[in-house]
Amino acid sequence: MNASSEATQGSHRENGATPSALSAQNVTKRFPGVIANQHVNFDVARGEVHTLLGENGAGKSTLASILSGLYRPDEGSVLRNGKEVRLSSPRSGLSHGIAMVHQHFRLVDRFTVAENVVLGSKGLSFVLQPKDIEAKVSEISEKFGLPLDPRAVVGELSAGQRQRVEIVKALYHGAEVLLLDEPTALLAPPEVVKLFETVRVMTSAGKSVVFVSHKLGEVVDISDRITVMRDGQVTGSVKRGEANAGQLAELMVGREITLAPRRGTLDPGDVLLSVSQIHLSHDQSQNRPNQPNILSDINLKVCSGEILGIAGVSGNGQRDLAEVISGLRQPNQGEITVCGLPIVGLGARATRQAGLAYVPEDRLGTGLAPSLSMVDNLLLTRDRGFLVDRKSAFIEAEGFIKKLEIKTPGPLTPTRKLSGGNAQKVLLARELFSSVASRVLVVCSPTRGLDVGAVEAVHALLDDARKNGKAILLISEDLDEVMTLADRVLVLYRGSIVLEAQGIADDLERVGQAMAGLAS
Amino acid sequence: MIIGGTRIRLEARLTSPRWLVVVVPVFSVLFALVVGGVFLLFTGHPPIRTYRDLLDNGYTSFYGLTDTLGLATPLICTGLAAAFAFRMNLYNIGQEGQLYLGMVGGAWAGIALAPHLNQFIAVPVVLVAGALFGAFWVLVPALLRARMGTSEIVSTLLLNYVALNLINYFIYGSRGFFRDPTTPFPQGRLIDESARFDSFGTTNTYPTLIISILLAVFLFWFVRRSNYGYETSVFADSPQAARYAGMNSIWLTTSVLLISGALAGLGGAMYVVGPAGKVDPGLLQTGLGYAGIVVAALARYNFVAVIITAVLFAGLRVGGSALQASSDPVPIAIAVVLQGAVLLFALGGEIFRRNRVVVTRVVQTAKVEA
């Protein structure tokens, strides 16, 4: 079947009337209360990279899910090679040669690469033939430039390697059209470069790639075409060479935005946060003696009026570092002082009282209690006494809603009903303005998952806090964010600081390489 | 689900209107009565008349109502116990055992301490002793849960059987402290008169009912206004947020379970100062501990609503037992079927509070084969 369809494809191409490899026609998909896709048209040709660009909630993931068979459209149709197909499940999508690589990998950690690749195959012999499968996996991975050891256990692979497993898996199952959902989210810059090489090899082999992303910068390099979505509708489509980042941003957001870096203008003042020789080892009870330390020999100082950025790929000890500094975890050794007070061993409340505020990465669930109201969440880090004073918190909440333009039905609405950007504003408001006279702020991935408008607002808040003399430690996996905001940058790799870079002048490439463990 | 060209499906509600909070339970009870009616028909009892008798015996006659209120008194306590723990996602299902221990503690205080005490503090001392014994019975599960994450469901459940056998041992298996020494007949030793409440008139309702109701109202206020209540709400919603804010999860887990146990134990002590006056194995048959879980679930862990659901549930019990004695005896099992049906429908009704039913016509489209 594959061969015959390829043959017709070939003849069509000669005639200049190639039907798209995959297209969505006039697709509408509604979820309770939202129209995720409204009369959307989208297509990808053979050998083409077509990027679907848009903010979170613009409807691009919904469209990808419809194209791969995960969702069925309420209206409109999906065409494969010009013929309408009804995809009832991802499996039926796969039988039509359509595969999606999800942002959060769907692999079995305890299986080997080869076992994961064949997972879900029909027609496997009752007794597995590991040799044959491994040979096939190696063949695919060599052909497409995806170096992998078929016998490696997936749980021990890096994010980039896992992604390769997902791609090899899709190719093994005969995928002709690959939908990659936010494929660069977890990758270090050099890994992104490798991924792009693979994408080019695949397209030159006649495969089609749909690249779903909200990162403006990178999509311009890789795409043959870029289609921008906003609020469930397509707002524009540009070809390679016609694209310009500012224009695309406007299409995404619907208004002009500035992407200019923000820099500290003040001279840094006194050292407010000082961390020296912090070591943190794995929990002894887990009994993994060969594991290296989670954090080893961390030293850093943050001054008043300064943002110190910590760059690094997810899972290199960022969360642990933040928890140690905020008093939630005890380091095995080392000293931490907040505004001159040593805080190791005192716990989270005392650390807060010493003047430290903390915006955790997981904003809804850790930073905020999701089912509780904004009022109750403002109380979270206060000194509360025996009876809770909701009245003053209510007034404070109203003030924040006005001041920060937080979109919410009211101070009593559960925070989980707020959008990511508005929830983050609530959290930042509490940590910046409401907590007991905080002078040091630890923020982790403050704009993760936020749309461009909210990113702008959060960055402005952090910048203002810097101008007001706070000492800010910004821990983020988003390199662009660190580079635009931070006065100095440290790179965290496998629990150690492997590079210290001063300001913007320092080249981006060195930081990127350090993130991937290639520090000189 | 598609029936004859019409598709029926559930769609999540974005907001659930307030009136549904009342309408759904009411319809749940009505549907449960319909299901119970089917059972009655099959067993040859006219449903309408049986329900009328049930209503009369359980709620609308004076003695029926006062019997119901008497039974509801300890039931409110076990209901509060369940609600207090469950709303923090701590599933103490050992109210049964904690209730028995409360009875034992109350009887001990009533026999050993009350004779030496002022009449006004004798009853409070008995009640407090019952609460302490109830809390004691959940102490080990609480510590295991808080320190090591051991499932409190299993440990509290198993301790129910220990408590049950303990009572049997005290009354039937030994001639110990709790057994009446004046008679060879196995029964509990009566506590001091000073530690007992008189019932209201000739009814089976005791002043402890007022204590139960006040307690429910107090808890309602306490969890909303106090710092402790606030911390439990945060912990229930997100343990990570509680940890982030520096709350002590071991203390919260342990104390919530202890308070839950104390509330159930108080129910047992109320039985002692009220109708029983002794360690009475008769309590083992009533299942008030397990019923507390049902009462709490029906009230959706709202402490004031527990008062209402406890009275509703007690009425079914009282009315159900009375049916056995009527001229056309209806087996008690029918009353139990009704209770089960009420619970099942009430919990199932949740689906309709969170979702709405959407009915659409399905237009048959010709399938295009790819």
Side-chain angles (χ1 to χ4, degrees), chain A residues 32-33 84-86 96 323 328-329 348-349 352 358 360 365-367 369-372 376 379-381 384-388 390 417 427 430-431, chain B residues 11-12 14-15 221-228 230-231 233-234 237-248 356 365-370:
Chain A
E84 182 170 354
V85 285
R86 294 186 158 252
H96 285 99
E323 292 204 336
L328 286 167
R329 271 174 91 171
R349 266 186 208 188
R352 195 168 275 285
Y358 171 36
T366 302
S371 301
L372 300 190
D376 277 7
L379 290 164
L380 191 64
T381 54
R384 286 178 300 266
F386 178 73
L387 289 185
V388 174
R390 286 199 173 81
K417 297 207 171 162
L427 179 52
R430 186 185 74 205
E431 294 304 297
Chain B
E11 206 173 86
L14 291 178
T15 53
W221 171 84
F222 182 72
V223 298
R224 272 164 187 74
R225 288 298 316 280
S226 72
N227 181 42
Y228 183 80
Y230 173 79
E231 292 201 356
S233 312
V234 173
D237 187 37
S238 168
Q240 293 92 332
R243 172 172 173 263
Y244 162 82
M247 294 173 191
N248 184 340
R356 64 167 157 244
T365 44
K367 286 207 171 170
V368 182
E369 201 41 60

Coordinates of all heavy atoms in Angstrom, one line a residue, chain A residues 32-33 84-86 96 323 328-329 348-349 352 358 360 365-367 369-372 376 379-381 384-388 390 417 427 430-431, chain B residues 11-12 14-15 221-228 230-231 233-234 237-248 356 365-370:
Chain A
P32 N -15.6 22.1 26.3 CA -16.5 22.9 27.1 C -16.0 24.3 27.4 O -14.9 24.5 28.0 CB -16.6 22.1 28.4 CG -16.3 20.7 28.0 CD -15.4 20.8 26.9
G33 N -16.7 25.3 26.9 CA -16.3 26.7 27.2 C -15.3 27.3 26.3 O -15.1 28.5 26.3
E84 N -9.8 11.6 2.2 CA -10.2 11.8 3.6 C -10.0 10.5 4.4 O -10.3 9.4 3.9 CB -11.7 12.1 3.6 CG -12.2 12.4 5.0 CD -13.6 12.9 5.1 OE1 -14.2 13.3 4.1 OE2 -14.1 13.1 6.2
V85 N -9.5 10.7 5.6 CA -9.3 9.6 6.5 C -10.0 9.9 7.8 O -10.1 11.0 8.2 CB -7.8 9.3 6.8 CG1 -7.2 8.6 5.6 CG2 -7.1 10.5 7.2
R86 N -10.5 8.8 8.4 CA -11.1 9.0 9.7 C -10.2 8.3 10.7 O -10.1 7.1 10.7 CB -12.5 8.3 9.8 CG -13.4 9.0 8.8 CD -14.9 8.5 9.0 NE -15.7 9.5 8.5 CZ -16.5 10.3 9.3 NH1 -16.6 10.0 10.5 NH2 -17.2 11.2 8.8
H96 N -1.9 4.9 9.1 CA -1.9 5.8 8.0 C -0.5 6.5 7.9 O -0.4 7.4 7.1 CB -3.0 6.9 8.0 CG -4.4 6.3 7.7 ND1 -5.2 5.9 8.7 CD2 -4.9 6.0 6.5 CE1 -6.4 5.4 8.1 NE2 -6.2 5.4 6.8
E323 N 15.5 24.5 46.6 CA 15.0 24.0 47.9 C 16.0 24.1 49.0 O 15.6 24.4 50.2 CB 14.5 22.6 47.7 CG 13.3 22.5 46.8 CD 12.4 21.3 47.0 OE1 13.0 20.3 47.6 OE2 11.2 21.3 46.7
L328 N 14.0 24.4 52.5 CA 13.1 23.3 52.5 C 13.9 22.0 52.6 O 13.3 21.0 53.0 CB 12.3 23.3 51.2 CG 11.2 24.3 51.1 CD1 10.7 24.4 49.7 CD2 10.0 23.9 52.0
R329 N 15.1 22.0 52.2 CA 15.9 20.8 52.3 C 17.3 21.2 53.0 O 17.7 22.3 52.8 CB 16.2 20.2 50.9 CG 15.2 19.3 50.5 CD 15.4 18.9 49.1 NE 16.3 17.7 49.1 CZ 16.5 17.0 47.9 NH1 16.0 17.5 46.8 NH2 17.2 15.9 47.9
A348 N 12.0 26.2 56.5 CA 11.4 27.2 55.5 C 10.9 28.4 56.2 O 11.1 29.5 55.7 CB 10.3 26.5 54.7
R349 N 10.2 28.3 57.3 CA 9.6 29.5 57.9 C 10.7 30.5 58.4 O 10.6 31.7 58.2 CB 8.7 29.1 59.1 CG 7.3 28.9 58.7 CD 6.4 28.6 59.8 NE 5.3 27.9 59.3 CZ 4.2 27.6 60.0 NH1 4.1 28.0 61.3 NH2 3.2 26.9 59.5
R352 N 12.4 32.3 55.6 CA 11.5 33.3 55.1 C 11.6 34.6 56.0 O 11.6 35.7 55.5 CB 10.1 32.8 55.0 CG 9.1 33.6 54.3 CD 7.8 32.7 54.1 NE 7.9 31.8 52.9 CZ 7.8 32.2 51.7 NH1 7.7 33.5 51.4 NH2 7.9 31.4 50.7
Y358 N 10.4 33.0 47.8 CA 10.7 31.9 46.9 C 9.5 31.7 46.0 O 8.4 31.4 46.4 CB 11.1 30.7 47.7 CG 11.2 29.4 47.0 CD1 11.8 29.3 45.7 CD2 10.8 28.1 47.5 CE1 11.9 28.1 45.0 CE2 11.0 27.0 46.9 CZ 11.5 26.9 45.6 OH 11.7 25.8 44.9
P360 N 8.5 29.0 43.4 CA 8.9 27.7 42.9 C 8.5 27.5 41.5 O 7.6 28.2 41.0 CB 8.2 26.7 43.9 CG 7.1 27.4 44.4 CD 7.4 28.9 44.4
G365 N 0.3 24.3 42.8 CA 0.5 23.0 43.4 C 1.6 23.2 44.5 O 1.4 22.6 45.6
T366 N 2.6 24.0 44.3 CA 3.6 24.2 45.3 C 3.5 25.7 45.8 O 3.3 25.9 47.0 CB 5.0 23.9 44.8 OG1 5.0 22.5 44.4 CG2 6.0 24.1 45.9
G367 N 3.6 26.6 44.8 CA 3.6 28.0 45.2 C 2.2 28.4 45.6 O 2.1 29.3 46.5
A369 N -1.8 27.0 46.5 CA -2.7 25.8 46.7 C -3.9 26.0 45.7 O -4.6 27.0 45.8 CB -3.2 25.8 48.1
P370 N -4.0 25.1 44.7 CA -4.9 25.3 43.6 C -6.3 25.5 43.9 O -7.0 26.3 43.2 CB -4.6 24.1 42.7 CG -3.9 23.1 43.5 CD -3.2 23.8 44.6
S371 N -6.9 24.8 44.9 CA -8.3 24.9 45.1 C -8.7 26.1 46.0 O -9.8 26.4 46.2 CB -8.9 23.6 45.7 OG -8.7 22.6 44.8
L372 N -7.7 26.6 46.6 CA -7.9 27.7 47.5 C -8.0 29.1 46.8 O -7.4 29.2 45.7 CB -6.9 27.8 48.6 CG -6.7 26.5 49.5 CD1 -5.9 26.8 50.7 CD2 -8.1 26.1 50.0
D376 N -6.8 33.2 50.3 CA -6.2 32.2 51.2 C -4.7 32.0 50.8 O -3.9 31.6 51.6 CB -7.0 30.8 51.1 CG -8.1 30.8 52.0 OD1 -8.4 31.9 52.6 OD2 -8.8 29.8 52.1
L379 N -2.4 34.4 52.3 CA -2.2 34.1 53.7 C -1.1 33.0 53.9 O -0.5 32.9 55.0 CB -3.5 33.6 54.3 CG -4.6 34.6 54.5 CD1 -5.9 33.9 54.8 CD2 -4.2 35.5 55.7
L380 N -0.8 32.3 52.8 CA 0.1 31.1 52.9 C 1.4 31.4 53.6 O 1.9 30.6 54.4 CB 0.3 30.5 51.5 CG 0.9 29.1 51.5 CD1 0.0 28.1 52.2 CD2 1.1 28.7 50.1
T381 N 2.0 32.5 53.2 CA 3.4 32.8 53.8 C 3.4 33.9 54.8 O 4.4 34.4 55.1 CB 4.3 33.1 52.6 OG1 3.8 34.2 51.9 CG2 4.5 32.0 51.7
R384 N 0.2 34.0 60.8 CA -1.2 34.0 60.9 C -1.9 34.1 62.2 O -3.0 34.5 62.3 CB -1.8 32.8 60.1 CG -1.6 32.8 58.6 CD -2.1 31.6 58.0 NE -1.4 30.4 58.4 CZ -0.3 29.9 57.8 NH1 0.1 30.5 56.7 NH2 0.3 28.9 58.3
G385 N -1.2 33.8 63.3 CA -1.8 33.8 64.6 C -2.9 32.7 64.8 O -2.9 31.8 63.9
F386 N -3.7 32.8 65.8 CA -4.6 31.7 66.1 C -5.8 31.8 65.1 O -6.2 30.8 64.5 CB -5.1 31.7 67.5 CG -6.1 30.6 67.8 CD1 -5.7 29.3 67.8 CD2 -7.5 30.9 67.9 CE1 -6.6 28.2 68.1 CE2 -8.4 29.8 68.1 CZ -8.0 28.5 68.2
L387 N -6.4 33.0 64.9 CA -7.5 33.1 64.0 C -6.9 33.8 62.7 O -6.1 34.7 62.8 CB -8.6 33.9 64.5 CG -9.4 33.3 65.6 CD1 -10.6 34.2 66.1 CD2 -9.9 31.9 65.2
V388 N -7.4 33.3 61.6 CA -6.9 33.8 60.3 C -7.6 35.1 59.9 O -8.8 35.2 60.1 CB -7.2 32.8 59.2 CG1 -6.8 33.3 57.8 CG2 -6.4 31.5 59.5
R390 N -8.7 37.1 57.3 CA -9.0 37.1 55.8 C -9.3 38.5 55.3 O -9.2 38.8 54.1 CB -10.1 36.1 55.4 CG -9.6 34.7 55.5 CD -10.5 33.8 54.7 NE -10.0 32.4 54.7 CZ -10.1 31.5 55.7 NH1 -10.7 31.9 56.8 NH2 -9.5 30.4 55.6
K417 N -8.4 28.3 38.6 CA -9.2 28.8 37.5 C -8.6 29.9 36.8 O -9.1 30.4 35.8 CB -10.6 29.2 38.0 CG -11.4 28.0 38.6 CD -12.8 28.2 38.6 CE -13.5 26.9 38.9 NZ -14.9 27.0 39.3
L427 N 1.3 34.8 42.5 CA 2.4 34.2 43.3 C 3.5 35.3 43.4 O 4.1 35.5 44.5 CB 2.9 33.0 42.6 CG 4.1 32.3 43.1 CD1 3.9 31.9 44.6 CD2 4.3 31.0 42.4
R430 N 2.6 38.0 45.9 CA 2.8 37.6 47.3 C 4.2 37.6 47.7 O 4.6 38.1 48.7 CB 2.2 36.2 47.5 CG 2.2 35.8 49.0 CD 1.7 34.4 49.1 NE 2.7 33.5 48.7 CZ 2.5 32.2 48.3 NH1 1.3 31.8 48.2 NH2 3.5 31.4 47.9
E431 N 5.0 37.1 46.8 CA 6.5 36.9 47.2 C 7.2 38.2 47.1 O 8.2 38.4 47.9 CB 7.1 35.9 46.3 CG 6.6 34.4 46.5 CD 6.6 34.0 48.0 OE1 7.8 33.9 48.5 OE2 5.6 33.8 48.6
Chain B
E11 N -21.0 16.3 29.9 CA -20.1 17.3 29.6 C -19.7 18.0 30.9 O -20.6 18.3 31.7 CB -20.7 18.3 28.6 CG -19.7 19.1 27.8 CD -20.4 19.9 26.7 OE1 -20.8 21.1 27.0 OE2 -20.6 19.4 25.6
A12 N -18.5 18.3 31.1 CA -18.0 18.9 32.4 C -18.6 20.3 32.5 O -18.7 21.0 31.6 CB -16.5 18.9 32.5
L14 N -18.5 24.0 33.8 CA -17.5 25.0 34.2 C -17.7 25.5 35.6 O -16.9 25.6 36.4 CB -17.4 26.1 33.1 CG -16.8 25.7 31.8 CD1 -16.8 26.8 30.8 CD2 -15.4 25.1 31.9
T15 N -19.0 25.8 35.8 CA -19.4 26.2 37.1 C -20.6 25.4 37.5 O -21.5 25.2 36.6 CB -19.8 27.7 37.1 OG1 -20.8 27.9 36.1 CG2 -18.6 28.6 36.8
W221 N -17.1 26.4 62.4 CA -16.5 27.7 62.5 C -15.0 27.6 62.6 O -14.2 28.3 62.0 CB -17.0 28.4 63.8 CG -16.3 29.6 64.2 CD1 -16.5 30.9 63.7 CD2 -15.2 29.7 65.1 NE1 -15.7 31.8 64.3 CE2 -14.8 31.1 65.2 CE3 -14.5 28.8 65.9 CZ2 -13.8 31.6 66.0 CZ3 -13.5 29.3 66.7 CH2 -13.1 30.6 66.8
F222 N -14.5 26.6 63.3 CA -13.1 26.4 63.6 C -12.3 26.2 62.4 O -11.3 26.8 62.2 CB -12.9 25.3 64.6 CG -11.5 25.0 65.1 CD1 -10.9 25.9 65.9 CD2 -10.8 23.9 64.6 CE1 -9.6 25.7 66.3 CE2 -9.5 23.7 65.0 CZ -8.9 24.6 65.9
V223 N -12.7 25.3 61.5 CA -11.9 25.0 60.3 C -11.9 26.2 59.4 O -11.0 26.3 58.6 CB -12.3 23.7 59.6 CG1 -12.2 22.5 60.5 CG2 -13.7 23.8 59.0
R224 N -12.9 27.0 59.4 CA -12.9 28.1 58.5 C -12.1 29.3 59.0 O -11.5 30.1 58.3 CB -14.4 28.6 58.2 CG -15.0 27.8 57.1 CD -16.5 28.0 57.0 NE -17.0 27.1 56.0 CZ -17.1 25.8 56.1 NH1 -16.6 25.2 57.3 NH2 -17.6 25.0 55.2
R225 N -12.1 29.5 60.3 CA -11.5 30.7 60.8 C -10.1 30.5 61.5 O -9.4 31.5 61.5 CB -12.5 31.4 61.9 CG -13.7 32.0 61.2 CD -13.4 33.1 60.3 NE -12.4 34.0 60.8 CZ -12.6 35.0 61.7 NH1 -13.8 35.2 62.1 NH2 -11.6 35.8 62.1
S226 N -9.9 29.4 62.0 CA -8.6 29.2 62.8 C -7.4 29.0 61.8 O -7.6 28.5 60.7 CB -8.7 28.1 63.8 OG -8.7 26.9 63.1
N227 N -6.3 29.3 62.4 CA -5.0 29.0 61.6 C -4.9 27.5 61.4 O -4.5 27.0 60.3 CB -3.8 29.5 62.4 CG -2.6 29.2 61.7 OD1 -2.5 29.4 60.5 ND2 -1.5 28.8 62.4
Y228 N -5.3 26.7 62.5 CA -5.2 25.2 62.3 C -6.1 24.7 61.2 O -5.6 24.0 60.3 CB -5.6 24.6 63.6 CG -5.5 23.1 63.6 CD1 -4.2 22.5 63.8 CD2 -6.6 22.3 63.4 CE1 -4.1 21.1 63.8 CE2 -6.5 20.9 63.4 CZ -5.2 20.3 63.6 OH -5.1 19.0 63.5
Y230 N -7.0 26.5 58.7 CA -6.4 26.9 57.4 C -5.3 26.0 57.0 O -5.3 25.6 55.8 CB -5.9 28.4 57.6 CG -5.1 28.9 56.5 CD1 -5.8 29.4 55.3 CD2 -3.7 28.9 56.5 CE1 -5.0 29.8 54.2 CE2 -3.0 29.3 55.4 CZ -3.7 29.8 54.3 OH -2.9 30.2 53.2
E231 N -4.5 25.6 57.9 CA -3.3 24.8 57.5 C -3.8 23.4 57.1 O -3.3 22.9 56.1 CB -2.4 24.6 58.7 CG -1.7 25.9 59.1 CD -0.4 25.7 59.9 OE1 -0.1 24.6 60.2 OE2 0.3 26.7 60.1
S233 N -6.6 22.9 55.5 CA -7.1 23.1 54.2 C -6.0 23.1 53.1 O -6.2 22.5 52.0 CB -7.9 24.4 54.0 OG -8.8 24.5 55.1
V234 N -5.0 23.8 53.5 CA -3.8 23.9 52.5 C -3.2 22.5 52.3 O -3.0 22.0 51.2 CB -2.7 24.8 53.0 CG1 -1.5 24.8 52.2 CG2 -3.3 26.3 53.1
D237 N -5.4 20.3 50.2 CA -5.4 20.7 48.8 C -4.1 20.3 48.1 O -4.1 19.9 47.0 CB -5.7 22.2 48.7 CG -5.9 22.6 47.2 OD1 -6.5 21.8 46.5 OD2 -5.4 23.7 46.9
S238 N -3.0 20.6 48.8 CA -1.7 20.4 48.2 C -0.6 20.2 49.2 O -0.2 21.2 49.8 CB -1.3 21.5 47.2 OG 0.0 21.4 46.9
P239 N -0.2 19.0 49.5 CA 0.8 18.8 50.5 C 2.1 19.5 50.2 O 2.8 20.0 51.1 CB 1.0 17.3 50.5 CG -0.2 16.7 50.0 CD -0.8 17.7 49.1
Q240 N 2.4 19.7 48.9 CA 3.6 20.4 48.5 C 3.5 21.9 48.9 O 4.5 22.4 49.3 CB 3.8 20.3 47.0 CG 4.1 18.9 46.5 CD 2.9 18.2 46.0 OE1 1.8 18.5 46.5 NE2 3.0 17.3 45.1
A241 N 2.3 22.5 48.7 CA 2.2 23.9 49.1 C 2.4 24.0 50.6 O 2.9 25.0 51.1 CB 0.8 24.4 48.6
A242 N 1.9 23.0 51.4 CA 2.0 23.1 52.8 C 3.5 23.0 53.2 O 3.9 23.7 54.1 CB 1.2 21.9 53.5
R243 N 4.2 22.1 52.5 CA 5.6 22.0 52.8 C 6.3 23.3 52.4 O 7.2 23.7 53.2 CB 6.2 20.8 52.0 CG 7.7 20.6 52.0 CD 8.1 19.3 51.4 NE 9.5 19.3 51.3 CZ 10.2 19.6 50.2 NH1 9.6 20.0 49.1 NH2 11.6 19.6 50.2
Y244 N 6.0 23.8 51.3 CA 6.6 25.1 50.8 C 6.4 26.2 51.8 O 7.3 26.9 52.1 CB 5.9 25.4 49.5 CG 6.1 26.9 49.1 CD1 7.2 27.3 48.4 CD2 5.0 27.8 49.3 CE1 7.4 28.6 48.0 CE2 5.2 29.1 48.9 CZ 6.3 29.5 48.2 OH 6.5 30.8 47.8
A245 N 5.2 26.2 52.5 CA 5.0 27.3 53.4 C 5.5 26.9 54.8 O 5.3 27.7 55.8 CB 3.5 27.5 53.6
G246 N 6.3 25.8 54.9 CA 6.9 25.5 56.2 C 6.0 24.9 57.2 O 6.3 24.9 58.4
M247 N 4.8 24.3 56.8 CA 4.0 23.7 57.7 C 4.5 22.3 58.1 O 5.2 21.7 57.3 CB 2.6 23.5 57.1 CG 1.9 24.8 56.9 SD 0.3 24.6 56.0 CE 0.0 26.3 55.5
N248 N 4.2 21.9 59.3 CA 4.7 20.6 59.8 C 3.7 19.5 59.5 O 2.7 19.4 60.2 CB 4.9 20.8 61.4 CG 5.5 19.6 62.0 OD1 5.5 18.5 61.4 ND2 6.1 19.7 63.1
R356 N -23.0 18.1 33.0 CA -24.4 18.2 32.5 C -24.6 17.2 31.4 O -23.7 16.8 30.7 CB -24.7 19.6 32.1 CG -23.9 20.1 30.9 CD -24.5 21.4 30.3 NE -23.4 22.0 29.6 CZ -22.9 23.2 29.9 NH1 -23.4 23.8 30.9 NH2 -21.9 23.7 29.2
T365 N -23.6 10.4 8.7 CA -22.9 10.7 7.5 C -22.3 9.5 6.9 O -22.0 8.5 7.5 CB -21.7 11.7 7.9 OG1 -21.1 11.1 9.1 CG2 -22.1 13.1 8.2
A366 N -22.3 9.5 5.6 CA -21.7 8.4 4.8 C -20.3 8.2 5.2 O -19.5 9.2 5.2 CB -21.9 8.6 3.3
K367 N -19.9 7.1 5.5 CA -18.4 6.9 5.8 C -17.6 6.8 4.6 O -17.9 6.1 3.7 CB -18.3 5.6 6.6 CG -18.8 5.7 8.0 CD -18.1 4.7 9.0 CE -18.5 5.1 10.4 NZ -18.1 4.1 11.4
V368 N -16.6 7.6 4.6 CA -15.7 7.6 3.4 C -14.5 6.7 3.8 O -13.8 6.9 4.7 CB -15.2 9.0 3.1 CG1 -14.3 9.0 1.9 CG2 -16.4 10.0 2.9
E369 N -14.4 5.7 3.0 CA -13.3 4.7 3.3 C -12.0 5.2 2.6 O -12.0 5.5 1.5 CB -13.7 3.3 2.8 CG -12.9 2.2 3.4 CD -12.7 2.4 4.9 OE1 -13.8 2.5 5.7 OE2 -11.6 2.5 5.4
A370 N -11.0 5.3 3.4 CA -9.7 5.8 2.9 C -9.0 4.7 2.1 O -9.1 3.5 2.6 CB -8.8 6.3 4.0

